DNA sequence: TATGAATGAGCGTTCATTCAT
DNA sequence: CATGAATGAACGCTCATTCAT
């Protein structure tokens, strides 16, 4: 009685995870034009199975992005009251870059922009980042003219920078995160030429 | 009558430029999936004419990227012996981003990775960047642990960061270039966690 | 306990009827392309259950048509010895059209043409119609050059004619049955230009 | 100069006609589910060619129906001032049934209901039928309670009736047209049980 | 040289059908 | 018996590319 219909769901859930992983890899390798057929093949299932789990290719993309966003937001919760706010923000950016497992699938964010789930999760994530950034700024760990939107936008840069290399070292992104984070520190900050943007 | 086949050549050259411009706009608007038909339509020529000028769609992309690379390399020549090497490097990065500002066609670089023309021009550009970076480092304008490859990889970041916003202010990228360039300065530089990569 | 497997059988029989009704409605609403999934959903059962009751979609269609044919044949039995043979034939055609009135599923007849059950029931119905037509002709209620095959073929026409209208009045078919039946009467009959066909 | 670009168009026009003919045959044989691939195969062209000529399958269907409607309307023009209005109406119904070449593609009318071209042509045809019917009624050739809408709806019936037969004689539809037309005559007309419908 | 009609592989998606649970 | 996850063939449609004119 306690879990009467789980057995079937076990297989289905496994396929769902296989598909999400396969899709992420295919998108990382072939960009937005990765085909559903290739994703299915990589996951070891038939094409039709993809559509049992995700109504459309767009829905699949939104599900990948939702997973990312959820992990990121969860990460923030653990860092929200860390002793060192500067360290906490750096740690968040580290987690943010790391959880993509070197996959530069930034473009999926763009492709899923209209999805309501994604919009909601993105707003939650944004609120969390605002918290971290406010605390870091209050603690003097980052320059005063940098906003949470700046951090939100810069978050993806380290992985993307590295993606221009054919076979990047697995943790090379840490190098560029360090450089960019140094640019956020108060030390030696030059005035910023443009006002901070706001999210729509 | 004095030069019987010049008019045609002139037309052909003009068509080539029209096509490159149209293609850049189409790619900027519709991403990598911009269609040859739409490019031809925008250029005001028939589809077949595209293939008279560019063997394949890939070749067209490589031609666009080649144009960009050539302009960038030419820009370096003008900056190579500037009085202030730090300013010269920043100026180069500004020009580099500015050129893309109107059209974020970063992804075309990735799509044209295998093209020999692009590889050659990229290597030339890389050599030019090395020059600027070496001079800037020697002048103490940038930190000593940053290499020309780092700069090469970071070059596209400001425009890319901004591309995550739906309707970015036209010069917003300057804000992120300033932040990233601050990260390249010697002041307050923290040690970099990973060795600099090398280009293949 | 006294009849241990009756409850299940009862459920099964109920499901069968639910499915037939649901299928008829789905076919009426969506035409021949009504999907098995939608039928199952409307009947409140799982897709697999449809195939437990009907080997294929074709078999389901044939079962619907068989039901219609059975009802029609049964109707003839009641009319076979009516006092007024002309009235009996008209009454039969009225019942035949009325049965379809709610759901114009004419096309199902065509789709089930090869089914042996349907063929057998159709032959029985045909025999019944022959009886009615022969009596009506003998009584002088219909013209002498009209055969039972003619009536068989014309039987569906009133409903079909009306189906060309988006929102026909529920009994509009009666208007066209009246016109067509007038064409079958001896009064003012013009000679028929082609010999009567025979059923295969 | 008088026909500078016709040569290419000749082939294209021929393909267009081949496709329309092939489509009509495929639809007649397989109903609404006739596939574009099969139509292309029957026409002897590649699948893509279908879509060069007709934007969608729906557009192809609407083009077929438009052709039918145009022919019918043209036929009316020739009959509009015939000496015998009753004969003219019968002649029109004969042409209407004949031009379908025994193909019962009634359902295409329904499938193309939303197309503006079809709607316009249908209205023109309807106006023409109204003319013929009014004249025939004024001449006493048809009963007074029959309207042009009735004739419009009954127009397809002869061919449809015959379509229920596997291998009907090529002109068998004339038999049922005669019966139905007899039903429209004033002689022996019984009162009609339902008011005449109006087109939307 | 320029055109645009034709091609056919490939795409996202649907759906009748099967079968492990 | 019923379920619903999985299958894979087929569908409508797109598009880079070819080639007769």
């Amino acid at each position: 009685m306690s879990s009467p219909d789980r057995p079937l769901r076990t297989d289905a859930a496994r396929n769902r995870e296989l598909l999400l992983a396969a899709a992420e890899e295919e998108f990382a390798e072939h960009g937005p034009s990765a085909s559903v057929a290739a994703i299915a093949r990589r996951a070891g299932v038939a094409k039709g199975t993809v559509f049992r789990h995700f109504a459309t290719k767009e829905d699949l993309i939104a599900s990948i992005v939702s997973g990312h966003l959820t992990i990121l937001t969860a990460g923030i919760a653990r860092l929200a009251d860390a002793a060192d706010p500067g360290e906490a923000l750096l740690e968040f950016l580290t987690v943010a870059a790391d959880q993509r497992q070197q996959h530069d699938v930034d473009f999926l964010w763009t492709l899923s922009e209209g999805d309501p789930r994604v919009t909601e999760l993105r707003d939650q994530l944004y609120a969390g980042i605002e918290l971290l950034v406010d605390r870091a700024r209050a603690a003097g760990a980052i320059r005063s003219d940098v906003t949470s939107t700046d951090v939100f936008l810069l978050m993806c840069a380290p992985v993307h920078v590295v993606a221009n290399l054919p076979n990047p070292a697995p943790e090379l992104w840490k190098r560029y995160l360090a450089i960019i984070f140094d640019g956020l520190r108060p030390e030696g900050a030059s005035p910023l030429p443009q006002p901070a943007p706001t999210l729509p």
Side-chain angles (χ1 to χ4, degrees), chain A:
Chain A
M1 290 290 180
S2 57
S3 57
D5 56 351
R6 289 302 167 234
L8 272 184
R9 291 291 165 82
T10 298
D11 274 28
R14 175 166 166 70
N15 273 346
R16 202 191 130 92
E17 295 314 313
L18 281 173
L19 279 167
L20 284 170
E24 197 159 332
E25 288 164 24
E26 281 293 321
F27 280 123
E29 279 180 22
H30 301 107
S33 65
S35 82
V36 172
I39 291 169
R41 206 177 310 123
R42 191 188 277 251
V45 302
K47 218 171 12 166
T49 302
V50 179
F51 293 98
R52 160 164 303 280
H53 290 277
F54 307 98
T56 63
K57 190 185 183 181
E58 284 204 345
D59 182 40
L60 169 56
I61 291 173
S63 296
I64 294 174
V65 174
S66 293
H68 290 182
L69 291 172
T70 302
I71 291 175
L72 286 182
T73 305
I76 288 185
R78 286 196 310 275
L79 295 165
D81 46 11
D84 182 338
E87 268 312 302
L89 181 59
L90 179 54
E91 172 71 10
F92 166 71
L93 290 173
T94 302
V95 167
D98 195 27
Q99 62 102 22
R100 315 227 216 142
Q101 307 149 288
Q102 283 87 254
H103 295 164
D104 180 25
V105 283
D106 250 24
F107 55 86
L108 295 182
W109 290 41
T110 305
L111 293 180
S112 63
E113 226 146 44
D115 186 273
R117 261 182 313 155
V118 168
T119 302
E120 159 132 26
L121 288 168
R122 194 204 55 180
D123 290 347
Q124 285 177 24
L125 172 60
Y126 183 77
I129 292 177
E130 199 157 33
L131 200 94
L132 291 182
V133 169
D134 285 348
R135 289 191 70 218
R137 191 172 35 223
I142 59 170
R143 51 205 289 181
S144 62
D145 53 359
V146 153
T147 71
S148 52
T149 309
D150 290 330
V151 172
F152 185 81
L153 292 175
L154 286 164
M155 178 174 57
C156 303
V159 168
H160 181 73
V161 162
V162 160
N164 285 325
L165 234 36
N167 283 313
E171 303 206 306
L172 180 58
W173 54 269
K174 291 188 177 175
R175 180 177 178 89
Y176 299 104
L177 174 53
I179 290 176
I180 291 170
F181 199 78
D182 275 358
L184 295 177
R185 292 189 208 271
E187 295 84 17
S190 56
L192 295 179
Q194 292 277 321
T198 52
L199 241 43

